[in-house]
Amino acid sequence: MPTRKTAKPRAKPATRDKIDPPPTVAAVPAEGAPDNDMERRICEAVYESVMSQRLTPGTKLPEAAICELFGVSRSVARKALQRLAHEHVVDLHHNRGAVVAEPTPEDTRQIFQARRALEAALLPLAVARATKADYASLRKQLRDEHALLHRAGQPAWARQASAFHVRLGELSGNAILHGYLAELVSRCSLIVALYEPPGNAACEHGEHVSIVDLMERGEVAEAVKINDNHLADLERRISLERPQPAQTLAQMLGLA
């Protein structure tokens, strides 16, 4: 009998390692998306109004009113208010909703105390590392600051004055301490904007100039002393009592 040939088993095709597909991720709006733009616009309007002293401590910022004034959904308004709360511009309360921040005298004392201690530690580090180019950059920054003092509004001037102190922290070379200082300066600026009597400068420009002169000459102890007195004077000028203006929210936000 003829014998049947046994069929050779077919070779299995080579298999590749299986890679699980990436998990489905919800689409994230692009940076220029309308919702992101409106969230940013709300934040800027509230911040500018606080810095201009149109929005006063304790002013209510109802979600419904924000939605109507800016033509946005509740989710956009809520995200903007949450971002402002993260930056300590507003406080979020379970029953009262969002209100413009109301730093207490104790909050103010602790924030300024922490800032003075931190800047006293950072200035010597900055002097040890600063180069001629750094001092040239600081002096340019001071010229810009002086120009804004005479031609710009309070928010722009306050930002530039605060930027001087943050820059000194950056020159220290310690990124951790610099980050803490940036947050404290931001909180101090907010307190000053909320409570300092109108017409006062957020920082004295001449004292900034003196601090840089002393730093460049290597007179570290005197630079620290001038800076500490500078911050103490700033704190002393704050008055935690301010009358509530009889304006609508739209007027306080500069929308009417």
Side-chain angles (χ1 to χ4, degrees):
M1 287 180 65
T3 58
R4 183 182 299 175
K5 289 185 179 179
T6 306
K8 291 183 180 179
R10 289 186 180 179
K12 291 183 181 179
T15 58
R16 294 181 180 175
D17 291 338
K18 231 177 170 182
I19 300 176
D20 292 327
T24 304
V25 180
V28 179
E31 182 62 21
D35 282 359
N36 278 8
D37 285 347
M38 291 310 300
E39 180 187 332
R40 187 162 48 251
R41 185 184 165 201
I42 293 167
C43 290
E44 288 173 355
V46 172
Y47 179 79
E48 293 289 326
S49 299
V50 167
M51 297 301 285
S52 301
Q53 299 187 335
R54 292 195 303 268
L55 276 176
T56 53
T59 302
K60 292 183 179 179
L61 299 171
E63 274 186 20
I66 296 292
C67 292
E68 183 178 350
L69 288 170
F70 290 91
V72 297
S73 66
R74 276 192 178 267
S75 65
V76 173
R78 191 172 298 120
K79 285 180 182 177
L81 293 172
Q82 288 170 345
R83 179 173 161 188
L84 288 164
H86 179 72
E87 295 171 0
H88 306 285
V89 178
V90 305
D91 293 329
L92 297 178
H93 300 287
H94 179 63
N95 294 324
R96 294 172 62 196
V99 298
V100 176
E102 298 177 273
T104 66
E106 183 60 16
D107 292 335
T108 300
R109 186 189 70 79
Q110 290 188 14
I111 289 168
F112 271 89
Q113 185 181 56
R115 177 176 171 184
R116 287 165 63 187
L118 192 54
E119 292 203 29
L122 283 168
L123 266 177
L125 299 178
V127 172
R129 294 182 75 257
T131 64
K132 287 186 178 181
D134 291 327
Y135 284 115
S137 174
L138 277 173
R139 294 196 183 282
K140 180 186 182 305
Q141 189 168 340
L142 290 175
R143 288 195 295 273
D144 293 341
E145 179 184 292
H146 186 262
L148 283 174
L149 176 62
H150 293 285
R151 74 166 189 264
Q154 177 72 5
W157 155 246
R159 274 195 297 269
Q160 189 71 11
S162 296
F164 168 77
H165 291 271
V166 175
R167 174 63 177 148
L168 293 183
E170 184 182 11
L171 288 176
S172 74
N174 189 312
I176 304 298
L177 294 179
H178 173 234
Y180 287 139
L181 178 64
E183 179 179 347
L184 286 170
V185 168
S186 176
R187 296 187 71 175
C188 286
S189 298
L190 175 65
I191 291 171
V192 169
L194 287 170
Y195 291 114
E196 190 178 47
N200 284 354
C203 267
E204 293 298 334
H205 173 75
E207 291 174 353
H208 286 180
V209 174
S210 296
I211 291 165
V212 173
D213 287 344
L214 290 165
M215 288 173 63
E216 194 164 21
R217 292 200 299 266
E219 298 179 34
V220 181
E222 189 63 21
V224 170
K225 180 182 175 182
I226 295 293
N227 188 66
D228 190 70
N229 290 338
H230 169 66
L231 295 176
D233 287 342
L234 180 60
E235 183 181 0
R236 276 193 290 269
R237 289 200 303 268
I238 293 169
S239 169
L240 295 178
E241 304 239 343
R242 291 198 55 201
Q244 295 289 333
Q247 291 183 310
T248 65
L249 181 59
Q251 289 170 326
M252 287 187 280
L253 286 169
L255 302 174

